[in-house]
Amino acid sequence: VFTTLTRKGMPLIRYRTGDISRFSNAPCACGTLLKTMDKIQYRIAASVGLRNGYRLTMPALEEVLFSIEGISDFDAVLTNQDRGETLILKINADENLQDLNKPVMDALYQTALFGMVAKGELNILTEPQPQKDLDIKAIRKRKFVDEREEKQ
């Protein structure tokens, strides 16, 4: 929650953004002595809690998936299946990217998600989607579809 002090009409409006950040100890380039905020890490609405307490964020998932050449878009669905919590990644990719599972798992190798997969805490499935015509002028807001029975 923060308040802007530059509004003339109603300066006491408080905003609840749902952004996760922290206060910075570094001096601001503008010279202010007031507290400043670090870069916003993620928005609570763009994250889901897993059973093991980890928060899976859409920006982290986007960083991993868009590092793979040929992936143009994706949807993320979290479900409870027979094998436990499962993240289904419905991926739009170029035709030359036939097997999606290997490049996705390779990209996840250095992340906390790979550790959860290795421990059996999370299953990740990849499903190809038909290639969509994307408007590069528009940025699509991706959200998790949470189909679990017991939401965290």
Side-chain angles (χ1 to χ4, degrees), residues 91-133:
I91 298 174
N92 296 74
D94 292 344
E95 295 165 3
N96 60 353
L97 203 58
Q98 297 293 328
D99 178 25
L100 291 169
N101 205 44
K102 183 175 176 6
V104 168
M105 290 315 232
D106 288 347
L108 288 172
Y109 183 72
Q110 296 295 324
T111 69
L113 285 176
F114 188 81
M116 286 186 272
V117 171
K119 292 178 192 172
E121 297 174 339
L122 181 68
N123 301 300
I124 297 179
L125 301 175
T126 56
E127 293 179 3
Q129 288 193 93
Q131 189 70 8
K132 298 182 209 172
D133 289 331

Side-chain angles (χ1 to χ4, degrees), residues 25-139:
N25 293 327
C28 182
C30 71
T32 185
L33 299 176
L34 299 173
K35 287 184 178 182
T36 57
M37 237 174 38
D38 262 349
K39 179 183 172 196
I40 294 170
Q41 298 300 312
Y42 64 92
R43 185 158 278 183
I44 292 172
S47 70
V48 291
L50 301 178
R51 278 192 213 125
N52 64 1
Y54 182 82
R55 282 210 83 72
L56 181 58
T57 68
M58 189 54 74
L61 206 50
E62 288 173 346
E63 186 176 328
V64 168
L65 292 176
F66 289 138
S67 71
I68 302 169
E69 190 164 332
I71 291 182
S72 58
D73 199 12
F74 71 94
D75 291 311
V77 179
L78 197 58
T79 66
N80 283 330
Q81 292 188 351
D82 297 337
R83 300 179 301 185
E85 259 180 329
T86 302
L87 176 64
I88 302 170
L89 300 172
K90 298 179 179 185
I91 298 174
N92 296 74
D94 292 344
E95 295 165 3
N96 60 353
L97 203 58
Q98 297 293 328
D99 178 25
L100 291 169
N101 205 44
K102 183 175 176 6
V104 168
M105 290 315 232
D106 288 347
L108 288 172
Y109 183 72
Q110 296 295 324
T111 69
L113 285 176
F114 188 81
M116 286 186 272
V117 171
K119 292 178 192 172
E121 297 174 339
L122 181 68
N123 301 300
I124 297 179
L125 301 175
T126 56
E127 293 179 3
Q129 288 193 93
Q131 189 70 8
K132 298 182 209 172
D133 289 331
L134 299 174
D135 182 2
I136 60 171
K137 296 177 186 171
I139 297 175

